């Protein structure tokens, strides 16, 4: 299982990476492995400001649908449209090509409240 050092993590198994004043958000390797084969991703919040921990979309796997929660408050500015035709990118590359949204965080310092890699590994007991 992959746990990139440079990311911050949530208890709902989302990750976030700051790239300048934009943050990239996806689900963790642990989350995708628990969900199984992902068959559909829905995000209808592009252009909307979303509160921290609010639902910004859903991921549908063969046997379940899971809500996606925003790690920090901000405006959803982009959806990874590659997921429309290839939702399995989340399974094969959750931290790269399988990213889900880009956001403009309301307050970048909110990222400091999220788990670092060591804390997240302990949280999922790896």
């Amino acid at each position: 299982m992959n746990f990139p050092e440079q990311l911050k993590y949530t208890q709902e198994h989302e990750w976030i990476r700051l790239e300048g004043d934009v943050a990239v958000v996806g689900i963790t390797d642990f989350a995708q492995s628990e969900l199984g084969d992902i068959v559909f991703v829905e995000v209808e919040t592009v252009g909307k400001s979303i509160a921290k921990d609010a639902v910004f979309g859903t991921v549908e796997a063969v046997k379940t649908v899971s809500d996606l929660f925003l790690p920090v408050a901000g405006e959803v500015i982009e959806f990874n449209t590659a997921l429309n035709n290839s939702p399995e990118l989340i399974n094969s590359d959750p931290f790269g090509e399988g990213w889900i949204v880009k956001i403009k965080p309301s307050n970048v310092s909110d990222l400091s409240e999220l788990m670092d890699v060591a804390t997240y590994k302990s949280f999922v007991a790896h």
Side-chain angles (χ1 to χ4, degrees):
M1 199 155 300
N2 192 4
F3 297 93
E5 296 277 335
Q6 74 277 20
L7 306 179
K8 292 289 192 168
Y9 299 89
T10 71
Q11 291 185 357
E12 292 79 25
H13 308 289
E14 280 85 20
W15 59 264
I16 187 167
R17 175 180 64 237
L18 199 58
E19 296 179 349
D21 61 350
V22 171
V24 182
V25 178
I27 65 170
T28 65
D29 199 13
F30 175 84
Q32 71 78 23
S33 69
E34 292 291 305
L35 287 168
D37 293 337
I38 294 173
V39 295
F40 186 70
V41 182
E42 182 174 47
V43 173
E44 296 182 345
T45 52
V46 174
K48 296 180 180 173
S49 290
I50 308 290
K52 179 184 186 317
D53 298 327
V55 174
F56 72 86
T58 57
V59 171
E60 183 177 338
V62 174
K63 296 182 180 178
T64 189
V65 176
S66 291
D67 287 334
L68 297 166
F69 301 94
L70 207 59
V72 297
E75 180 186 353
V76 179
I77 58 172
E78 185 180 345
F79 169 66
N80 182 358
T81 56
L83 299 177
N84 287 332
N85 295 324
S86 302
E88 69 278 2
L89 286 171
I90 295 174
N91 294 114
S92 62
D93 192 10
F95 301 110
E97 295 298 314
W99 64 272
I100 300 173
V101 293
K102 291 185 180 180
I103 67 166
K104 188 140 179 97
S106 300
N107 187 353
V108 174
S109 66
D110 289 346
L111 274 78
S112 66
E113 298 172 15
L114 302 174
M115 289 185 269
D116 63 15
V117 68
T119 306
Y120 183 70
K121 278 183 179 178
S122 296
F123 179 71
V124 297
H126 277 86

